Amino acid sequence: MGEEKNLEVSAIGSRKGFAVIKYAGVFDIIDLLSCIKTWYAKQYYNVAEKEHTEDVKSSGKELIFEFEGERKVTEYVKFKVLVKMNILRLLDVLVETPQGKEKLQQAEVDIGVRSWLVKNYKGTFKGKEKSKIHEFFRQIYEKFIGRATLDELKKKLILETLVLIDEIKTSLNVPRK
């Protein structure tokens, strides 16, 4: 792993970057939001809507959504998954479907997904004041004792996040590679 010095370890994306899904076309915004919230619920994440802004422009609505979910996996590790959506030039459109006319949305959508592990979230390796010896023992624990477990948890989080990305793409009808 080699990441024992960090308390946060990126699985998908990084501190500054995201795995990005771009789409321009017709979609169902209610279905998209439901897809994301359902994924969080199925995976037992506690989710918070960190941001929800809406601005009306002459070219259409501009929406920003940011969801952050966290789930305690062990007494030492928890998973965090962040989804940030920017929707530009959102317009309602009527689309002919086999069931009749349906009201959908047309827009340019950028969705960023990032996931990471938070280690030692309970402060197991911390005294009253953070000392170098506690930090040393934490790093030794992660490097030699807990390494295999941490590697497996990181793989698990990567797979979970890839499923989320796949479900978002399915909701938007984006081809998967």
Side-chain angles (χ1 to χ4, degrees):
M1 189 174 213
E3 298 159 331
E4 54 274 344
K5 290 187 179 181
N6 303 323
L7 289 176
E8 292 186 356
V9 177
S10 294
I12 299 279
S14 65
R15 279 184 189 258
K16 296 180 180 178
F18 290 83
V20 177
I21 303 163
K22 290 183 177 274
Y23 176 76
V26 176
F27 66 102
D28 185 348
I29 193 166
I30 303 298
D31 183 51
L32 176 61
L33 293 171
S34 175
C35 160
I36 293 167
K37 290 179 180 181
T38 300
W39 180 86
Y40 276 121
K42 282 182 186 176
Q43 301 299 325
Y44 303 104
Y45 279 84
N46 294 321
V47 66
E49 190 171 321
K50 295 283 190 181
E51 184 177 0
H52 177 178
T53 60
E54 190 171 323
D55 194 14
V56 179
K57 307 255 176 147
S58 60
S59 59
K61 288 183 183 177
E62 291 185 5
L63 302 170
I64 297 175
F65 293 97
E66 186 174 326
F67 301 102
E68 183 175 285
E70 73 176 29
R71 179 178 91 212
K72 295 176 185 173
V73 185
T74 68
E75 293 297 312
Y76 189 74
V77 175
K78 67 180 169 181
F79 290 170
K80 285 196 168 197
V81 178
L82 178 72
V83 176
K84 185 165 182 144
M85 293 191 299
N86 292 320
I87 303 172
L88 304 172
R89 294 180 262 299
L90 179 74
L91 299 170
D92 289 330
V93 293
L94 282 176
V95 176
E96 191 67 42
T97 64
Q99 294 83 17
K101 289 188 178 186
E102 193 174 341
K103 181 180 157 187
L104 298 175
Q105 290 72 39
Q106 180 174 331
E108 295 171 21
V109 182
D110 285 339
I111 301 173
V113 179
R114 177 177 175 250
S115 62
W116 66 99
L117 286 88
V118 177
K119 304 181 295 183
N120 196 28
Y121 69 92
K122 286 187 171 183
T124 306
F125 288 99
K126 183 168 77 171
K128 291 185 181 178
E129 62 279 332
K130 189 171 181 179
S131 68
K132 291 183 181 181
I133 192 74
H134 287 102
E135 183 61 19
F136 173 76
F137 284 131
R138 183 188 69 77
Q139 289 182 26
I140 293 296
Y141 167 76
E142 287 184 16
K143 189 169 190 167
F144 297 108
I145 300 168
R147 183 177 191 164
T149 302
L150 291 171
D151 286 344
E152 285 301 313
L153 290 174
K154 184 176 178 179
K155 287 178 190 173
K156 182 178 180 179
L157 179 57
I158 289 170
L159 290 174
E160 282 184 12
T161 309
L162 290 174
V163 168
L164 170 62
I165 291 170
D166 200 42
E167 288 185 15
I168 291 170
K169 287 181 176 181
T170 300
S171 175
L172 291 171
N173 294 317
V174 173
R176 291 180 299 267
K177 297 175 184 172

